[in-house]
Each structure stands twice: as C-alpha cells, then as structure tokens.
Amino acid sequence: MVIGFEVITLFPAMFAAVSEYGVTSRALQAGLWRLRTWNPRDFTSDNYRTVDDRPYGGGPGMVMLAEPLERTLDAAQAAGGGRVIYLSPQGTRLDHRKVMALSKESAITLLCGRYEGVDERLLARRVDEELSLGDFVLTGGEPAAVAVLDAVVRLLPGALGDHESASSDSHYDGLLSPPSWTRPPAFRGHAVPEVLLSGDHAAIAAWRQREAERLTRERRPDLWAAHEQGTQDAPDGA
Ligand code: 4FV
C-alpha cells in the first residue's frame, strides 16, 4: 500500500531532507510513498500574498490566517486527503507506537505552522489530530513533519534494504538498542566484546538482549517499567 503525504508548508524546500536524501528518497523513487507540498501563499487573494496577521488581544509575534490555510487544505484534500495532523507543542508526544500506527494509513495531510501558530478557528474546523515532536519550541512545524515522514517511511515494507531492518531498532520491542561495534577489532586500545567475535549467534543474541535491557533500565526507567509491565501483561509471558 502506497502512503500519500500532503504537506501544507510555507517552506516546501525544507522537505528535500526526506525527498532528496537517503532511505526516504530511495523509497520515494521506488514508489513506496508519495509526497506533495502545498504552499498557503499560493492560496492567498491579496497582492502581498499575506498569510499572517497580528494576534487579537495583542502580544508578540504573528498568527497564521485561517482563510489561506482553509483554501490550501481544500486543494490538498481534493488531491490526496487523509486525516489532517497539525504539528504543535500542544500535541500528543510522537513515539514509536504512534509512528507504527501512522505507517498503516493510506493518506495523511501534515499541517506545518509558523510564527506563533495558527488561528484556532482553522484548527477547530480542519485538524483531526495534533502531534508534538517534544516539549520544546521550534520556529516552525516543518522539522517535526520531516521527523514524522522519516520515521514512518522507514517502516514501510521494502523501504529498508535487506541489510537494514527495523526489528533491531530502539523502541521496536520497547527497549533501547544495544551498542554496536565494527572494524577495526582494536581502536585506540579499546577492543570489541569477545562474544561479538565468537560467531555463536545464540550467545550474541542473548548478550545483546541483556545489553538492551541494562541500557534501558539505566537510561530510561520509564521505558523499562512499561517493558516490564508489557512482559507481565503478555498472555504467555512472551
Ligand atoms: C512543534 C513541536 C513546535 C510552535 C510555534 C512552530 C512551533 C511555531 N511542532 N512539535 N514542538 N512548533 O514547536 O511539533 O509555529
């Protein structure tokens, strides 16, 4: 199933990050997903192509106007559709579970804000879900939209080459990934853990599982608690 992304943004060029480079670009060329950008400036009716104005009630900065976004969404939805997701600090925190769910949709429209944000009436009328990249403030929703696209596309069947697999990902099974080593066998006097040079795949897998659990316990007690809960809840303790 080819997933189609419509992206509403004042800076379409920022999406070269996923359309021109690496795994996501290769997947785009292979037709595993589709990307179309829509610039609200192209849906303005005044000579100055105005897309923002001062906030009612005063205060710093500018707010994106509802009308140009309404028209842009009409066009994007007519072309591709899908649920409208607004990237904002007020949204649900993006995590692996959410990315997995998004990767199963056939079409998604991503709305990227700029300035102080978007007129609330537009959000109330047209937005199905708000997602946040994290508890910090960006200058625009585009970096968050790029992260969503990158995380979702790499999960699409066939996106990762056979030497790459999402199954060894951090968070794949609720645990952080174990550390990795490659050539040379000794670097600045530091060796590679013996077990990894043993060729004993069962021992290597067991060692990596222990490392993943140790790292998760040490660095992400929240994830470890959820993982423990998960293993407890799993019917056959799988
Ligand atoms: C953001 C986030 C974010 C808020 C005002 C763009 C900025 C400006 N988006 N996760 N954190 N957005 O900070 O998604 O318009």
Side-chain angles (χ1 to χ4, degrees):
M1 186 242 337
V2 175
I3 185 168
F5 282 98
E6 316 298 328
V7 178
I8 315 286
T9 172
L10 291 173
F11 301 113
M14 291 182 73
F15 292 85
V18 283
S19 63
E20 306 303 316
Y21 304 94
V23 165
T24 51
S25 175
R26 213 174 45 228
L28 194 64
Q29 310 318 325
L32 299 182
W33 66 295
R34 204 188 52 251
L35 173 65
R36 261 191 302 241
T37 59
W38 306 80
N39 188 334
R41 278 203 197 285
D42 301 336
F43 296 85
T44 55
S45 49
D46 67 310
N47 305 345
Y48 304 97
R49 292 158 59 83
T50 306
V51 293
D52 63 323
D53 206 331
R54 291 191 312 288
Y56 279 125
M62 302 292 270
V63 176
M64 292 186 82
L65 292 164
E67 190 60 39
L69 290 172
E70 179 88 358
R71 294 195 190 141
T72 311
L73 280 162
D74 289 348
Q77 301 268 277
R83 290 183 320 115
V84 176
I85 296 178
Y86 175 51
L87 293 306
S88 94
Q90 292 79 33
T92 314
R93 283 282 298 278
L94 186 68
D95 64 7
H96 183 67
R97 189 190 304 275
K98 172 55 66 179
V99 169
M100 292 281 279
L102 293 174
S103 71
K104 300 196 173 26
E105 301 198 25
S106 60
I108 294 173
T109 296
L110 298 176
L111 172 59
C112 302
R114 278 273 152 178
Y115 315 110
E116 298 312 306
V118 170
D119 187 300
E120 187 58 25
R121 294 165 292 185
L122 184 280
L123 301 178
R125 284 170 52 76
R126 302 299 294 264
V127 167
D128 301 301
E129 180 176 12
E130 287 198 29
L131 282 181
S132 173
L133 193 58
D135 298 340
F136 45 84
V137 180
L138 301 164
T139 60
E142 285 81 4
V146 164
V148 169
L149 290 168
D150 188 285
V152 168
V153 168
R154 66 184 293 283
L155 293 179
L156 299 177
L160 290 179
D162 47 19
H163 61 287
E164 302 152 317
S165 112
S167 60
S168 61
D169 277 356
S170 279
H171 306 296
Y172 183 78
D173 52 2
L175 295 174
L176 299 180
S177 288
S180 307
W181 288 261
T182 185
R183 290 180 300 102
F187 175 71
R188 304 273 188 287
H190 297 279
V192 173
E194 275 309 308
V195 64
L196 297 179
L197 307 174
S198 69
D200 177 340
H201 297 301
I204 291 168
W207 184 84
R208 282 179 169 158
Q209 180 67 21
R210 284 195 303 280
E211 279 297 286
E213 292 171 358
R214 176 186 62 75
L215 211 57
T216 307
R217 251 194 323 277
E218 284 169 14
R219 296 192 186 175
R220 293 292 305 277
D222 58 320
L223 283 179
W224 181 246
H227 177 75
E228 290 262 89
Q229 196 57 49
T231 41
Q232 265 141 36
D233 300 351
D236 56 356

